[in-house]
Amino acid sequence: MVQWEISDGEVDYHTALEKMENHVQKMIQDEACEKIWLLEHPPLYTAGTSADEMDLIEPNRFPVFETKRGGQYTYHGPGQRVVYLMLDLRKRGRDVRCFVRQAENWIIQTLSDFNIKAHITPGRIGVWVPRPDKGNAREDKIAAIGLRIRRWVSFHGISINVEPELEHFSGIVPCGISDQSVTSIVDLGYPISMTELDKALIDNFDACFTSD
């Protein structure tokens, strides 16, 4: 059984990290159930284990947090749905590649509920959408994935851009990709609320995270 938590308002990053770490440790000790936490953060940048300092263009713009999740630099802020996945891979096949694929498919299927055609691109982390209005080869990133696994329990997770301030991404090279840009659900012309996105995430979860 997966426990769902949805936080109102902005959650401090240190507070979220401590809460997530505590829950994961309890899961490792079989003292807590799986959990998915939906929240928003105040504006900040995070650096994953592959982050290149050259990609931090404006280091003094927002607080910068070093994390032990996979990936490079990313932005979190109001209008972006952050989803922390605390799932037990001991019960889900112990297959990290499969788990990442499931997370990608979850985002893609959720966005398809709103007629947004998203995809993954070889060599690029995250989920992307085509932008033919900006050039034939153009695609923009709409969701990021940054996971960590500890003793087969996952944490950190994904972020989906609903209606964040896209200019805030200009202080970094998002995920090390400099030849494309970042977009959001609202920027694409779909006036979707956070509540509607949350419902779609919950509705699509079971089908996307079954063993394959």
Side-chain angles (χ1 to χ4, degrees):
M1 181 177 180
V2 177
Q3 174 189 358
W4 291 82
E5 179 177 350
I6 303 176
S7 293
D8 295 326
E10 298 168 13
V11 180
D12 172 76
Y13 189 76
H14 277 309
T15 300
L17 190 62
E18 182 178 4
K19 181 176 177 178
M20 182 167 49
E21 289 267 3
N22 289 340
H23 190 86
V24 165
Q25 186 58 38
K26 289 181 179 179
M27 287 180 61
I28 291 171
Q29 298 170 347
D30 294 322
E31 297 174 355
C33 65
E34 295 182 307
K35 182 174 183 176
I36 297 177
W37 187 12
L38 310 178
L39 67 152
E40 294 175 80
H41 285 306
L44 58 92
Y45 297 130
T46 65
T49 55
S50 302
D52 183 341
E53 289 186 5
M54 296 296 292
D55 289 340
L56 183 58
I57 300 170
E58 297 182 47
N60 299 318
R61 185 171 188 181
F62 298 125
V64 181
F65 298 92
E66 291 189 4
T67 77
K68 295 181 180 180
R69 62 159 175 80
Q72 302 182 46
Y73 281 104
T74 192
Y75 165 78
H76 294 314
Q80 180 191 73
R81 178 50 88 212
V82 174
V83 183
Y84 288 137
L85 293 168
M86 290 163 270
L87 299 177
D88 192 344
L89 301 192
R90 294 171 297 183
K91 303 174 182 178
R92 295 178 175 272
R94 296 177 185 256
D95 188 331
V96 176
R97 288 185 180 180
C98 174
F99 180 59
V100 172
R101 185 168 65 249
Q102 289 170 334
E104 293 168 338
N105 289 339
W106 187 34
I107 298 169
I108 292 169
Q109 182 57 51
T110 296
L111 293 176
S112 74
D113 285 359
F114 305 108
N115 297 315
I116 298 172
K117 296 180 179 180
H119 60 267
I120 58 173
T121 295
R124 290 179 174 165
I125 298 173
V127 175
W128 301 77
V129 292
R131 297 304 300 269
D133 55 318
K134 297 185 177 182
N136 291 334
R138 175 69 177 271
E139 60 180 6
D140 286 353
K141 190 169 189 174
I142 195 167
I145 299 175
L147 294 162
R148 187 180 178 194
I149 309 295
R150 178 187 294 160
R151 295 178 64 180
W152 294 108
V153 174
S154 72
F155 55 124
H156 294 279
I158 67 175
S159 59
I160 302 173
N161 297 331
V162 180
E163 193 178 9
E165 177 53 68
L166 294 178
E167 198 277 330
H168 288 177
F169 285 89
S170 66
I172 57 173
V173 178
C175 301
I177 302 297
S178 59
D179 61 337
Q180 303 292 336
S181 190
V182 177
T183 190
S184 70
I185 293 173
V186 172
D187 183 54
L188 291 172
Y190 299 89
I192 304 303
S193 70
M194 198 72 75
T195 300
E196 289 173 306
L197 177 68
D198 291 346
K199 183 180 184 304
L201 285 167
I202 293 169
D203 289 347
N204 284 295
F205 176 79
D206 286 339
C208 292
F209 280 87
T210 53
S211 299
D212 62 7

